[in-house]
Amino acid sequence: MIKGIATLLGFQLAGEIAARLAHLPVSGPICGMAALLVWLHVKREVGGELGRVCDGILANMALLFVPVGVGAMSYSGLFAATWPVIALAILAGACATLLTTAFVTRALSDWTGRHATAEGRGKAAVSDSYQEPSTPTNLS
Amino acid sequence: MPLGELMTAPLLYLGLTCGVYVAALEVNRRSGSHPLSNPVLLSVCSLIAILWWARVDYQHYFANVQLIHFLLGPATVALAVPLFRHHQRVRRAALPIVGGVLCGSAAGVLTTLAVCSAAGIDTALTASLSTKSITAPVAMGIAEQIGGVPSLAAVFAVLTGMTGAAFGPWLLSRVKVQTSLERGLAMGTTSHGQGTARILQENEEAGAFAGFAMGLTALGMAILLPLLARLVL
């Protein structure tokens, strides 16, 4: 288990250092995620221990947001004054993002899918024409 | 050790937080995963009630549960694993993924800005709200850069995460969005880590897409939001 944890911390640290040194607009953990992804591609396998640790953390990831969420209590005054706007902004923003993401993804998948099948048909047509010359030999 | 010292030790608050969360998971399971019984929502509300009743201030609580908060970093790194396991599907659908996530983030930000300007909300609050679909640690940095309040941005990010995690799967099913690609991306783009955690329970492939969407949203918004803010805020 400890090897898996050390791997995660190591990549996070590398990500933090890279993000700071290169003044990247992205946070250290996200850089660490990208670095680990590249490393897994190089190794071509996850490895049992790292896999188990990651599955364990990710299965309980929701718990990690609780401490920041409780921070809402420090803004009770602000929430009392503007909660309808905040609630509307959060709900409307979330609906807009959910629906736009899902339907734009679907539209682009359909579009690229059509292109792929059109290409496929093109290739099929070519291979058909290749087979044609062989037909006379079959007949003879 | 006198009993009073327990009040100033992480043990009490870590135990309390984990205990409340486990109880919330149990409530969620028994209610058949009802949207309103979202474990983060239940835990946050219960903990606020307990802390308020016991007159514990938030800074004191947060300092003692740093250990849980710290694990957000390694958990973000860990998202590389489901992503790797499904990388072939991510690569094959690269254009729909990038297009869908960026359009979705933009739609969310524009809707938020429209609501805020219609309600005449001040710039600092608007800026803190505009980063709410970005994972909390990144949202704090961007909010600061565009004139928002980092801690407020973190709270809004978690509130949005909760909202999307609670109602997202239900809404997506209502409009017949069923593939793990579309569901995963929508949840990750809207509700970052919480959406990812929620959709991971549905299936691992959707979780991988959600994790990728979360990273891409953070990256895309880190570049685009400061530019947009210069124009409209």
Side-chain angles (χ1 to χ4, degrees):
Chain A
M1 189 180 94
I2 206 69
K3 212 169 120 193
I5 295 174
T7 308
L8 288 181
L9 291 177
F11 275 97
Q12 188 187 348
L13 184 63
E16 295 282 3
I17 293 172
R20 268 155 228 240
L21 284 185
H23 296 286
L24 298 178
V26 195
S27 75
I30 299 244
C31 291
M33 174 174 97
L36 177 57
L37 190 58
V38 170
W39 171 243
L40 291 175
H41 275 285
V42 172
K43 269 205 327 171
R44 290 164 175 276
E45 54 151 21
V46 176
E49 206 168 325
L50 180 63
R52 270 195 301 280
V53 168
C54 290
D55 291 340
I57 292 186
L58 292 177
N60 295 294
M61 194 173 175
L63 166 67
L64 313 183
F65 294 94
V66 171
V68 178
V70 175
M73 70 188 282
S74 333
Y75 296 99
S76 52
L78 179 78
F79 280 105
T82 54
W83 73 266
V85 183
I86 292 172
L88 183 65
I90 287 176
L91 272 176
C95 289
T97 307
L98 279 165
L99 299 177
T100 310
T101 308
F103 289 118
V104 170
T105 303
R106 180 179 294 177
L108 288 173
S109 303
D110 290 350
W111 184 74
T112 50
R114 262 204 307 279
H115 265 243
T117 44
E119 259 170 45
R121 247 180 257 132
K123 273 181 201 147
V126 168
S127 59
D128 279 350
S129 66
Y130 264 108
Q131 276 165 5
E132 268 170 13
S134 70
T135 350
T137 47
N138 279 348
L139 280 173
S140 66
Chain B
M1 182 167 98
L3 208 53
E5 272 178 32
L6 264 184
M7 293 294 290
T8 58
L11 175 62
L12 175 70
Y13 297 100
L14 285 174
L16 181 70
T17 306
C18 291
V20 165
Y21 181 74
V22 169
L25 279 182
E26 187 59 27
V27 171
N28 181 259
R29 198 180 60 81
R30 288 199 189 177
S31 72
S33 299
H34 187 276
L36 277 178
S37 72
N38 174 262
V40 181
L41 182 70
L42 282 183
S43 307
V44 166
C45 293
S46 318
L47 284 165
I48 288 179
I50 294 169
L51 296 179
W52 180 76
W53 171 75
R55 293 164 193 253
V56 177
D57 73 16
Y58 177 65
Q59 273 66 36
H60 182 66
Y61 167 77
F62 189 75
N64 282 294
V65 292
Q66 265 295 335
L67 184 61
I68 297 176
H69 180 66
F70 172 79
L71 286 174
L72 267 179
T76 306
V77 179
L79 284 171
V81 169
L83 214 55
F84 172 75
R85 287 180 186 147
H86 299 283
H87 71 272
Q88 244 134 16
R89 282 215 57 185
V90 169
R91 197 178 298 165
R92 227 178 298 144
L95 176 70
I97 290 175
V98 174
V101 170
L102 292 184
C103 290
S105 313
V109 170
L110 294 177
T111 307
T112 305
L113 292 179
V115 169
C116 290
S117 76
I121 291 291
D122 70 67
T123 311
L125 187 54
T126 305
S128 314
L129 271 168
S130 69
T131 57
K132 66 192 163 47
S133 274
I134 307 168
T135 182
V138 182
M140 293 171 80
I142 300 176
E144 192 171 27
Q145 204 183 337
I146 63 174
V149 184
S151 57
L152 201 51
V155 171
F156 289 146
V158 172
L159 285 175
T160 304
M162 271 174 0
T163 309
F167 295 103
W170 173 82
L171 178 70
L172 291 172
S173 300
R174 278 300 296 259
V175 296
K176 301 202 164 47
V177 171
Q178 266 137 4
T179 66
S180 34
L181 175 69
E182 291 158 12
R183 288 178 79 85
L185 291 180
M187 290 296 286
T189 310
T190 308
S191 293
H192 39 88
Q194 282 157 279
T196 304
R198 173 69 184 80
I199 210 74
L200 261 174
Q201 297 168 346
E202 233 171 60
N203 76 62
E204 211 205 45
E205 189 182 39
F209 289 131
F212 190 77
M214 170 181 124
L216 188 59
T217 303
L219 184 72
M221 288 296 103
I223 296 163
L224 295 176
L225 256 184
L227 297 174
L228 183 69
R230 223 175 286 163
L231 292 174
V232 298
L233 288 180

